[in-house]
Amino acid sequence: IYSADPETDVITIHALNYVSKKFTRNFEAYRYKPADRRFASYFDAKGREVPARLSDSPIVEYQEITSLIGDGRGHHGMDFKAPVGTPIVAPWDGKILRTNWNWKYNGNSIELRSNDGRRLARFLHLDKLSEGIAANTRVKRGQVLASSGNTGRSFAPHLHYEISDGSGRVLDPLDVHDIRHPRLSGS
């Protein structure tokens, strides 16, 4: 079940039923916006959110995830569609290594190394960095680093979130972070 906005050509899927031959079962999802959220998401018939959410995510509020590692585009990050100005936070304690390198592609950007040195995160296409965020700054998990934007080689406002290990190998945020599927309360 969907609707199409004739002025913008935006299609919104309100509900779907998908028969999977691979998993030999039906999947159902319903679009719903809980009162405590800014954006709608998709939930199954039991109220479990279908898309996974990252624990200690660098962005709490976003409209949708528009790109994943291994989606066939050779993309090295997870993209979160979000309005310009959405807060971006540190997913772990660490040290800012650099900011705003390779402006043409990255736009405003931050590179953060975890205190244990095992992970490196890049946050690209930011609107602005928070006051005091610069190379060699120590930050705490949950500290606001910047706001999301549309700078550099970006075609719509979003956060590009990229993680690599100490040797530079790209890691999937869905494997690095714990994931959760929140449930709706009530009937």
Coordinates of all heavy atoms in Angstrom, one line a residue, residues 80-172:
F80 N 23.1 7.9 6.6 CA 21.9 8.2 7.4 C 21.3 9.5 6.8 O 21.9 10.5 6.9 CB 22.2 8.4 8.9 CG 22.7 7.2 9.6 CD1 24.1 7.0 9.6 CD2 21.9 6.4 10.3 CE1 24.6 5.9 10.3 CE2 22.4 5.3 10.9 CZ 23.8 5.0 11.0
K81 N 20.1 9.4 6.2 CA 19.4 10.6 5.7 C 18.9 11.3 6.9 O 18.1 10.8 7.7 CB 18.3 10.1 4.8 CG 17.5 11.3 4.2 CD 16.3 10.8 3.3 CE 15.5 11.9 2.8 NZ 14.4 11.4 2.0
A82 N 19.3 12.6 7.0 CA 18.9 13.4 8.1 C 18.9 14.9 7.7 O 19.7 15.3 6.9 CB 19.8 13.2 9.3
P83 N 18.0 15.7 8.3 CA 18.0 17.1 8.0 C 19.3 17.8 8.4 O 20.0 17.4 9.4 CB 16.8 17.7 8.8 CG 16.0 16.5 9.2 CD 16.9 15.3 9.2
V84 N 19.7 18.8 7.7 CA 20.9 19.6 8.1 C 20.7 20.1 9.5 O 19.6 20.5 9.9 CB 21.1 20.8 7.1 CG1 22.1 21.8 7.7 CG2 21.4 20.3 5.7
G85 N 21.7 20.0 10.3 CA 21.7 20.4 11.7 C 21.4 19.4 12.7 O 21.4 19.6 13.9
T86 N 21.2 18.1 12.3 CA 20.9 17.0 13.2 C 22.2 16.7 14.0 O 23.3 16.6 13.4 CB 20.5 15.7 12.5 OG1 19.3 16.0 11.7 CG2 20.2 14.6 13.4
P87 N 22.2 16.6 15.4 CA 23.4 16.4 16.1 C 24.1 15.0 15.8 O 23.4 14.0 15.6 CB 22.9 16.4 17.6 CG 21.6 17.1 17.6 CD 21.0 16.8 16.2
I88 N 25.4 15.1 15.7 CA 26.3 13.9 15.5 C 27.1 13.8 16.8 O 27.7 14.7 17.2 CB 27.2 14.1 14.3 CG1 26.4 14.5 13.0 CG2 28.1 12.9 14.1 CD1 25.3 13.5 12.6
V89 N 27.1 12.6 17.3 CA 27.8 12.4 18.6 C 28.9 11.3 18.5 O 28.9 10.5 17.6 CB 26.8 12.0 19.7 CG1 25.8 13.1 19.9 CG2 26.2 10.6 19.4
A90 N 29.8 11.3 19.4 CA 30.9 10.3 19.4 C 30.4 9.0 19.8 O 29.7 8.9 20.9 CB 32.0 10.8 20.4
P91 N 30.6 7.9 19.0 CA 30.1 6.6 19.4 C 31.0 5.9 20.5 O 30.6 4.9 21.0 CB 30.2 5.8 18.1 CG 31.3 6.5 17.3 CD 31.3 8.0 17.7
W92 N 32.1 6.5 20.7 CA 33.0 5.9 21.8 C 34.0 7.0 22.2 O 34.1 8.1 21.6 CB 33.8 4.7 21.3 CG 34.5 5.0 20.0 CD1 35.6 5.8 19.8 CD2 34.3 4.4 18.7 NE1 36.0 5.8 18.5 CE2 35.2 4.9 17.8 CE3 33.3 3.5 18.2 CZ2 35.2 4.6 16.4 CZ3 33.3 3.2 16.9 CH2 34.3 3.7 16.0
D93 N 34.6 6.8 23.4 CA 35.7 7.7 23.8 C 36.9 7.6 22.9 O 37.2 6.6 22.4 CB 36.2 7.3 25.2 CG 35.1 7.4 26.3 OD1 34.1 8.0 26.1 OD2 35.4 6.9 27.4
G94 N 37.5 8.8 22.6 CA 38.6 8.7 21.7 C 39.2 10.1 21.5 O 39.0 11.0 22.3
K95 N 40.0 10.2 20.4 CA 40.8 11.4 20.1 C 40.5 11.8 18.6 O 40.6 10.9 17.7 CB 42.3 11.1 20.3 CG 43.2 12.3 20.0 CD 44.6 11.9 20.2 CE 45.6 13.0 19.9 NZ 47.0 12.5 20.1
I96 N 40.3 13.0 18.4 CA 40.1 13.5 17.0 C 41.5 13.6 16.4 O 42.4 14.2 16.9 CB 39.5 14.9 17.0 CG1 38.1 15.0 17.8 CG2 39.3 15.5 15.6 CD1 37.0 14.2 17.2
L97 N 41.6 12.9 15.3 CA 42.9 12.9 14.6 C 43.0 14.0 13.6 O 44.1 14.7 13.5 CB 43.1 11.6 13.8 CG 43.2 10.3 14.7 CD1 43.5 9.1 13.8 CD2 44.2 10.4 15.7
R98 N 41.9 14.3 12.9 CA 41.9 15.4 11.9 C 40.5 15.8 11.6 O 39.6 15.1 11.8 CB 42.7 15.0 10.6 CG 42.1 13.9 9.9 CD 43.0 13.5 8.7 NE 42.5 12.3 8.1 CZ 42.8 11.8 6.9 NH1 43.6 12.6 6.1 NH2 42.3 10.7 6.4
T99 N 40.4 17.0 11.0 CA 39.1 17.5 10.6 C 39.3 18.2 9.2 O 40.4 18.7 8.9 CB 38.6 18.6 11.6 OG1 39.5 19.7 11.6 CG2 38.3 18.0 12.9
N100 N 38.2 18.1 8.4 CA 38.1 18.9 7.2 C 39.3 18.6 6.2 O 39.9 19.6 5.6 CB 38.0 20.4 7.4 CG 36.7 20.6 8.2 OD1 35.8 19.8 8.2 ND2 36.7 21.7 9.0
W101 N 39.7 17.4 5.9 CA 40.6 17.0 4.9 C 39.8 16.6 3.6 O 38.7 16.2 3.7 CB 41.5 15.9 5.4 CG 40.9 14.5 5.4 CD1 40.9 13.5 4.5 CD2 39.9 14.1 6.4 NE1 40.2 12.5 4.9 CE2 39.5 12.8 6.0 CE3 39.4 14.6 7.6 CZ2 38.6 12.0 6.8 CZ3 38.5 13.9 8.3 CH2 38.1 12.6 7.9
N102 N 40.4 16.8 2.5 CA 39.8 16.4 1.2 C 38.4 17.0 1.1 O 37.5 16.4 0.8 CB 39.8 14.9 1.1 CG 39.6 14.5 -0.4 OD1 39.6 15.3 -1.3 ND2 39.5 13.2 -0.6
W103 N 38.4 18.4 1.2 CA 37.1 19.1 1.3 C 36.2 18.8 0.1 O 35.0 18.7 0.2 CB 37.4 20.6 1.4 CG 36.1 21.4 1.3 CD1 35.6 22.0 0.2 CD2 35.2 21.7 2.4 NE1 34.4 22.6 0.5 CE2 34.2 22.4 1.9 CE3 35.2 21.3 3.7 CZ2 33.1 22.8 2.6 CZ3 34.2 21.8 4.5 CH2 33.1 22.5 3.9
K104 N 36.8 18.7 -1.1 CA 36.0 18.6 -2.3 C 35.1 17.3 -2.2 O 33.9 17.4 -2.7 CB 36.9 18.4 -3.6 CG 36.2 18.2 -4.9 CD 37.1 18.1 -6.0 CE 36.4 17.9 -7.3 NZ 37.4 17.7 -8.4
Y105 N 35.5 16.3 -1.6 CA 34.7 15.1 -1.5 C 34.1 14.9 -0.1 O 32.9 14.6 0.0 CB 35.6 13.8 -1.8 CG 36.0 13.8 -3.2 CD1 37.3 14.2 -3.5 CD2 35.2 13.4 -4.2 CE1 37.8 14.2 -4.9 CE2 35.6 13.4 -5.5 CZ 36.9 13.8 -5.9 OH 37.3 13.8 -7.2
N106 N 34.8 15.2 0.9 CA 34.3 14.9 2.3 C 33.5 16.1 2.9 O 32.7 15.9 3.8 CB 35.5 14.7 3.3 CG 36.3 13.5 2.9 OD1 35.9 12.6 2.1 ND2 37.5 13.4 3.4
G107 N 33.7 17.3 2.4 CA 33.1 18.5 3.0 C 33.6 18.6 4.5 O 34.7 18.2 4.8
N108 N 32.9 19.2 5.3 CA 33.2 19.3 6.7 C 33.3 17.8 7.2 O 32.4 17.0 7.0 CB 32.2 20.0 7.6 CG 32.4 21.5 7.5 OD1 33.6 22.0 7.5 ND2 31.3 22.3 7.6
S109 N 34.4 17.5 7.9 CA 34.5 16.1 8.3 C 35.4 15.9 9.5 O 36.1 16.8 9.9 CB 35.2 15.3 7.1 OG 36.3 16.0 6.7
I110 N 35.2 14.8 10.2 CA 36.0 14.5 11.4 C 36.5 13.0 11.3 O 35.7 12.1 10.8 CB 35.0 14.6 12.7 CG1 34.6 16.0 12.8 CG2 35.7 14.1 13.9 CD1 33.5 16.2 13.9
E111 N 37.7 12.8 11.8 CA 38.2 11.5 11.9 C 38.5 11.2 13.4 O 39.2 12.0 14.0 CB 39.5 11.3 11.1 CG 40.0 9.9 11.0 CD 41.1 9.8 10.0 OE1 42.2 10.4 10.3 OE2 40.9 9.1 9.0
L112 N 37.9 10.2 14.0 CA 38.0 9.9 15.4 C 38.6 8.5 15.6 O 38.1 7.5 15.1 CB 36.6 9.9 16.0 CG 36.5 9.4 17.5 CD1 37.2 10.4 18.5 CD2 35.0 9.3 17.8
R113 N 39.7 8.4 16.4 CA 40.3 7.1 16.8 C 39.8 6.8 18.2 O 39.9 7.6 19.1 CB 41.8 7.2 16.7 CG 42.4 5.8 17.0 CD 43.9 5.7 16.9 NE 44.5 6.7 17.9 CZ 45.6 7.4 17.6 NH1 46.2 7.3 16.5 NH2 46.0 8.3 18.6
S114 N 39.4 5.5 18.4 CA 39.0 5.0 19.7 C 40.3 5.0 20.7 O 41.4 4.9 20.2 CB 38.4 3.6 19.7 OG 39.4 2.7 19.2
N115 N 40.0 5.2 21.9 CA 41.1 5.2 22.9 C 42.0 3.9 22.9 O 43.2 4.0 23.1 CB 40.6 5.4 24.3 CG 40.3 6.8 24.6 OD1 40.7 7.7 23.9 ND2 39.5 7.1 25.7
D116 N 41.4 2.8 22.5 CA 42.2 1.5 22.5 C 42.9 1.4 21.1 O 43.6 0.4 20.9 CB 41.3 0.3 22.8 CG 40.2 0.1 21.7 OD1 40.2 0.8 20.7 OD2 39.3 -0.7 22.0
G117 N 42.7 2.3 20.2 CA 43.4 2.3 18.9 C 42.9 1.3 17.9 O 43.4 1.1 16.8
R118 N 41.8 0.5 18.3 CA 41.3 -0.6 17.4 C 40.3 -0.1 16.4 O 40.1 -0.9 15.4 CB 40.7 -1.7 18.3 CG 41.7 -2.4 19.2 CD 41.1 -3.5 20.0 NE 39.9 -4.0 19.6 CZ 38.9 -4.4 20.4 NH1 39.1 -4.4 21.7 NH2 37.8 -4.9 19.9
R119 N 39.8 1.1 16.5 CA 38.8 1.5 15.5 C 39.0 3.0 15.2 O 39.5 3.8 16.0 CB 37.4 1.4 16.1 CG 36.9 0.0 16.3 CD 35.7 0.0 17.1 NE 36.0 0.6 18.4 CZ 35.3 0.5 19.5 NH1 34.3 -0.2 19.6 NH2 35.7 1.1 20.7
L120 N 38.7 3.3 13.9 CA 38.8 4.7 13.4 C 37.4 5.0 12.8 O 36.9 4.2 12.0 CB 39.9 4.7 12.4 CG 40.2 6.1 11.8 CD1 41.0 6.9 12.8 CD2 41.0 6.0 10.5
A121 N 36.8 6.1 13.1 CA 35.5 6.5 12.5 C 35.7 7.8 11.7 O 36.5 8.7 12.1 CB 34.5 6.7 13.6
R122 N 35.0 7.8 10.6 CA 35.0 9.1 9.8 C 33.5 9.5 9.7 O 32.7 8.7 9.4 CB 35.6 8.8 8.4 CG 37.1 8.5 8.5 CD 37.7 8.5 7.1 NE 39.1 8.2 7.2 CZ 39.6 7.0 6.9 NH1 38.9 6.0 6.6 NH2 40.9 6.8 7.1
F123 N 33.3 10.8 9.9 CA 32.0 11.4 9.8 C 32.1 12.5 8.7 O 32.9 13.4 8.8 CB 31.6 12.1 11.1 CG 31.8 11.2 12.3 CD1 33.0 11.1 12.9 CD2 30.8 10.4 12.8 CE1 33.2 10.3 14.1 CE2 30.9 9.6 13.9 CZ 32.2 9.6 14.5
L124 N 31.4 12.3 7.6 CA 31.6 13.1 6.4 C 30.3 13.9 6.1 O 29.2 13.5 6.5 CB 32.0 12.3 5.2 CG 33.2 11.4 5.3 CD1 33.4 10.7 4.0 CD2 34.4 12.1 5.8
H125 N 30.5 15.0 5.3 CA 29.4 15.8 4.8 C 28.7 16.6 5.9 O 27.5 17.0 5.8 CB 28.4 15.0 4.0 CG 29.0 14.1 3.0 ND1 29.8 14.6 2.0 CD2 29.0 12.8 2.9 CE1 30.3 13.5 1.3 NE2 29.8 12.4 1.8
L126 N 29.4 17.0 7.0 CA 28.8 17.7 8.1 C 28.5 19.1 7.8 O 29.2 19.7 6.9 CB 29.8 17.6 9.3 CG 30.3 16.2 9.7 CD1 31.4 16.2 10.7 CD2 29.1 15.4 10.3
D127 N 27.6 19.7 8.5 CA 27.3 21.1 8.3 C 28.3 21.9 9.0 O 29.0 22.7 8.4 CB 25.9 21.4 8.9 CG 25.5 22.9 8.7 OD1 25.7 23.4 7.6 OD2 24.9 23.4 9.6
K128 N 28.4 21.8 10.3 CA 29.5 22.5 11.1 C 30.0 21.6 12.2 O 29.2 20.8 12.8 CB 29.1 23.8 11.7 CG 27.7 24.2 11.5 CD 27.4 25.6 12.1 CE 26.0 25.9 11.8 NZ 25.5 27.0 12.3
L129 N 31.2 21.8 12.6 CA 31.8 21.1 13.7 C 31.4 21.9 15.0 O 31.3 23.1 15.0 CB 33.3 21.1 13.6 CG 33.9 20.5 12.3 CD1 35.4 20.4 12.4 CD2 33.2 19.2 11.9
S130 N 31.3 21.2 16.1 CA 31.0 21.8 17.4 C 32.2 22.6 17.9 O 33.3 22.3 17.5 CB 30.6 20.8 18.4 OG 29.5 20.1 18.1
E131 N 31.9 23.6 18.7 CA 33.0 24.4 19.2 C 34.0 23.6 20.0 O 33.6 22.7 20.8 CB 32.4 25.5 20.1 CG 33.4 26.5 20.5 CD 32.8 27.7 21.3 OE1 31.6 28.0 21.0 OE2 33.4 28.2 22.2
G132 N 35.3 23.8 19.7 CA 36.3 23.0 20.4 C 36.7 21.7 19.8 O 37.6 21.1 20.2
I133 N 36.0 21.3 18.7 CA 36.4 20.1 18.0 C 37.4 20.3 17.0 O 37.2 21.1 16.0 CB 35.1 19.4 17.4 CG1 34.1 19.0 18.4 CG2 35.5 18.2 16.5 CD1 34.6 18.0 19.5
A134 N 38.6 19.8 17.2 CA 39.8 20.0 16.3 C 40.7 18.8 16.5 O 40.6 18.0 17.4 CB 40.5 21.3 16.7
A135 N 41.8 18.8 15.7 CA 42.8 17.7 15.8 C 43.3 17.7 17.2 O 43.5 18.7 17.9 CB 43.9 17.9 14.8
N136 N 43.5 16.5 17.8 CA 44.1 16.2 19.1 C 43.2 16.5 20.3 O 43.6 16.4 21.4 CB 45.4 17.0 19.3 CG 46.5 16.6 18.3 OD1 46.7 15.4 18.1 ND2 47.1 17.6 17.7
T137 N 41.9 16.8 20.0 CA 40.9 16.9 21.0 C 40.4 15.6 21.5 O 40.2 14.7 20.7 CB 39.7 17.7 20.5 OG1 40.1 19.0 20.0 CG2 38.6 17.9 21.6
R138 N 40.4 15.4 22.8 CA 39.8 14.2 23.4 C 38.3 14.3 23.6 O 37.9 15.4 24.0 CB 40.5 13.9 24.8 CG 41.9 13.5 24.7 CD 42.1 12.1 24.9 NE 43.5 11.7 24.7 CZ 43.8 10.6 24.0 NH1 42.9 9.8 23.6 NH2 45.1 10.2 23.8
V139 N 37.6 13.3 23.2 CA 36.1 13.4 23.3 C 35.6 12.1 24.1 O 36.2 11.1 24.1 CB 35.4 13.5 21.9 CG1 35.8 14.8 21.3 CG2 35.7 12.3 21.1
K140 N 34.4 12.3 24.6 CA 33.7 11.2 25.3 C 32.5 10.7 24.5 O 31.9 11.4 23.8 CB 33.2 11.7 26.7 CG 34.2 12.1 27.7 CD 34.9 10.9 28.3 CE 35.8 11.2 29.4 NZ 36.5 10.0 29.8
R141 N 32.2 9.4 24.7 CA 31.1 8.8 24.1 C 29.8 9.6 24.4 O 29.6 10.0 25.5 CB 30.9 7.4 24.6 CG 29.7 6.7 23.9 CD 29.6 5.2 24.3 NE 29.7 4.9 25.7 CZ 28.6 4.8 26.5 NH1 27.4 4.9 26.1 NH2 28.8 4.5 27.8
G142 N 29.1 9.9 23.3 CA 27.9 10.7 23.5 C 28.1 12.2 23.3 O 27.1 13.0 23.2
Q143 N 29.3 12.7 23.3 CA 29.6 14.1 23.2 C 29.2 14.6 21.8 O 29.5 13.9 20.8 CB 31.1 14.4 23.5 CG 31.5 15.8 23.3 CD 33.0 16.0 23.7 OE1 33.6 15.2 24.4 NE2 33.5 17.1 23.2
V144 N 28.6 15.7 21.6 CA 28.2 16.3 20.3 C 29.5 16.8 19.6 O 30.2 17.6 20.1 CB 27.1 17.4 20.4 CG1 26.8 18.0 19.1 CG2 25.9 16.9 21.1
L145 N 29.7 16.2 18.4 CA 30.9 16.5 17.6 C 30.6 17.6 16.6 O 31.5 18.4 16.2 CB 31.5 15.3 17.0 CG 31.8 14.1 17.8 CD1 32.3 12.9 17.0 CD2 32.9 14.5 18.8
A146 N 29.4 17.5 16.0 CA 29.1 18.3 14.8 C 27.6 18.2 14.6 O 26.8 17.6 15.4 CB 29.8 17.8 13.6
S147 N 27.2 18.8 13.5 CA 25.8 18.7 13.0 C 25.8 18.2 11.6 O 26.7 18.5 10.8 CB 25.0 20.0 13.1 OG 25.7 21.0 12.4
S148 N 24.8 17.3 11.2 CA 24.8 16.7 9.9 C 24.6 17.8 8.8 O 24.1 18.9 9.1 CB 23.7 15.7 9.8 OG 22.5 16.3 9.9
G149 N 25.0 17.5 7.6 CA 24.9 18.6 6.6 C 24.8 18.0 5.2 O 24.4 16.8 5.0
N150 N 25.3 18.8 4.3 CA 25.3 18.4 2.8 C 26.5 19.0 2.1 O 26.3 19.6 1.1 CB 23.9 19.0 2.3 CG 23.6 18.4 0.9 OD1 24.1 17.3 0.5 ND2 22.9 19.1 0.1
T151 N 27.7 18.9 2.8 CA 28.9 19.5 2.2 C 29.7 18.5 1.5 O 29.5 17.3 1.7 CB 29.7 20.2 3.4 OG1 30.1 19.2 4.3 CG2 28.9 21.3 4.1
G152 N 30.6 19.0 0.6 CA 31.5 18.1 -0.1 C 30.7 17.5 -1.3 O 29.7 18.0 -1.8
R153 N 31.1 16.3 -1.6 CA 30.4 15.5 -2.7 C 29.2 14.8 -2.1 O 29.2 13.6 -1.8 CB 31.3 14.6 -3.4 CG 30.8 14.0 -4.7 CD 31.8 13.2 -5.3 NE 31.3 12.6 -6.6 CZ 31.9 11.8 -7.4 NH1 33.2 11.5 -7.1 NH2 31.4 11.3 -8.4
S154 N 28.1 15.6 -2.0 CA 26.9 15.1 -1.4 C 25.7 15.6 -2.2 O 25.7 16.8 -2.6 CB 26.8 15.5 0.1 OG 25.6 15.2 0.6
F155 N 24.7 14.8 -2.4 CA 23.6 15.2 -3.2 C 22.3 15.4 -2.4 O 21.3 15.8 -3.0 CB 23.4 14.2 -4.3 CG 24.6 14.0 -5.2 CD1 25.4 12.9 -5.1 CD2 24.9 14.9 -6.1 CE1 26.5 12.7 -5.8 CE2 26.0 14.8 -6.9 CZ 26.9 13.7 -6.8
A156 N 22.4 15.1 -1.1 CA 21.2 15.3 -0.2 C 21.8 15.3 1.2 O 22.8 14.7 1.5 CB 20.2 14.3 -0.4
P157 N 21.1 16.0 2.1 CA 21.6 16.0 3.5 C 21.7 14.6 4.1 O 20.7 13.9 4.0 CB 20.6 16.9 4.2 CG 19.9 17.7 3.2 CD 19.9 16.8 1.9
H158 N 22.9 14.3 4.6 CA 23.0 13.0 5.3 C 24.3 12.9 6.0 O 25.2 13.8 5.9 CB 23.0 11.8 4.2 CG 24.2 11.7 3.4 ND1 24.6 12.6 2.4 CD2 25.2 10.8 3.4 CE1 25.7 12.3 1.8 NE2 26.2 11.2 2.4
L159 N 24.5 11.9 6.9 CA 25.7 11.6 7.5 C 26.3 10.3 6.9 O 25.6 9.3 6.8 CB 25.5 11.3 9.0 CG 26.7 10.7 9.8 CD1 27.9 11.7 9.8 CD2 26.4 10.2 11.1
H160 N 27.6 10.4 6.4 CA 28.3 9.3 6.0 C 29.1 8.8 7.2 O 30.0 9.6 7.7 CB 29.2 9.6 4.8 CG 30.2 8.5 4.4 ND1 29.9 7.6 3.5 CD2 31.4 8.2 4.9 CE1 30.9 6.8 3.3 NE2 31.8 7.1 4.2
Y161 N 28.9 7.6 7.7 CA 29.6 7.1 8.9 C 30.4 5.9 8.4 O 29.9 4.9 8.0 CB 28.5 6.7 9.9 CG 29.1 6.1 11.2 CD1 30.1 6.7 11.9 CD2 28.5 4.9 11.7 CE1 30.6 6.1 13.1 CE2 29.0 4.3 12.8 CZ 30.0 4.9 13.5 OH 30.4 4.4 14.7
E162 N 31.7 6.0 8.6 CA 32.6 5.0 8.1 C 33.5 4.5 9.3 O 34.0 5.3 10.0 CB 33.5 5.6 7.0 CG 34.4 4.7 6.3 CD 35.2 5.4 5.2 OE1 34.5 6.2 4.5 OE2 36.4 5.2 5.1
I163 N 33.7 3.2 9.4 CA 34.6 2.7 10.5 C 35.6 1.7 9.8 O 35.3 1.0 8.9 CB 33.8 1.8 11.5 CG1 32.6 2.6 12.1 CG2 34.7 1.3 12.6 CD1 31.7 1.8 13.0
S164 N 36.8 1.8 10.3 CA 37.9 0.9 9.9 C 38.7 0.4 11.1 O 38.6 1.0 12.2 CB 38.8 1.6 8.8 OG 39.4 2.7 9.4
D165 N 39.4 -0.7 10.9 CA 40.2 -1.2 12.0 C 41.6 -0.6 12.0 O 41.9 0.3 11.1 CB 40.3 -2.7 12.0 CG 41.0 -3.3 10.8 OD1 41.7 -2.6 10.1 OD2 40.8 -4.5 10.6
G166 N 42.5 -1.0 12.8 CA 43.8 -0.4 12.9 C 44.6 -0.5 11.6 O 45.6 0.2 11.4
S167 N 44.3 -1.5 10.8 CA 45.1 -1.7 9.6 C 44.4 -1.1 8.4 O 44.9 -1.2 7.3 CB 45.2 -3.2 9.3 OG 44.0 -3.8 9.0
G168 N 43.3 -0.4 8.6 CA 42.6 0.3 7.5 C 41.5 -0.5 6.8 O 40.9 0.0 5.9
R169 N 41.3 -1.7 7.3 CA 40.2 -2.5 6.7 C 38.8 -1.9 7.1 O 38.6 -1.7 8.3 CB 40.3 -4.0 7.2 CG 39.3 -4.9 6.6 CD 39.6 -6.4 7.1 NE 39.6 -6.5 8.5 CZ 38.5 -6.9 9.2 NH1 37.4 -7.3 8.6 NH2 38.6 -7.1 10.5
V170 N 38.0 -1.7 6.2 CA 36.6 -1.2 6.4 C 35.8 -2.2 7.2 O 35.8 -3.4 6.9 CB 35.9 -0.9 5.1 CG1 34.5 -0.4 5.3 CG2 36.6 0.2 4.4
L171 N 35.1 -1.7 8.2 CA 34.3 -2.5 9.1 C 32.8 -2.1 8.9 O 32.5 -0.9 8.7 CB 34.7 -2.4 10.6 CG 36.1 -2.7 10.9 CD1 36.4 -2.4 12.4 CD2 36.4 -4.2 10.6
D172 N 31.9 -3.0 9.0 CA 30.5 -2.7 8.9 C 30.0 -2.3 10.2 O 30.1 -3.0 11.2 CB 29.7 -4.0 8.4 CG 28.3 -3.7 8.1 OD1 27.7 -2.7 8.6 OD2 27.7 -4.5 7.3

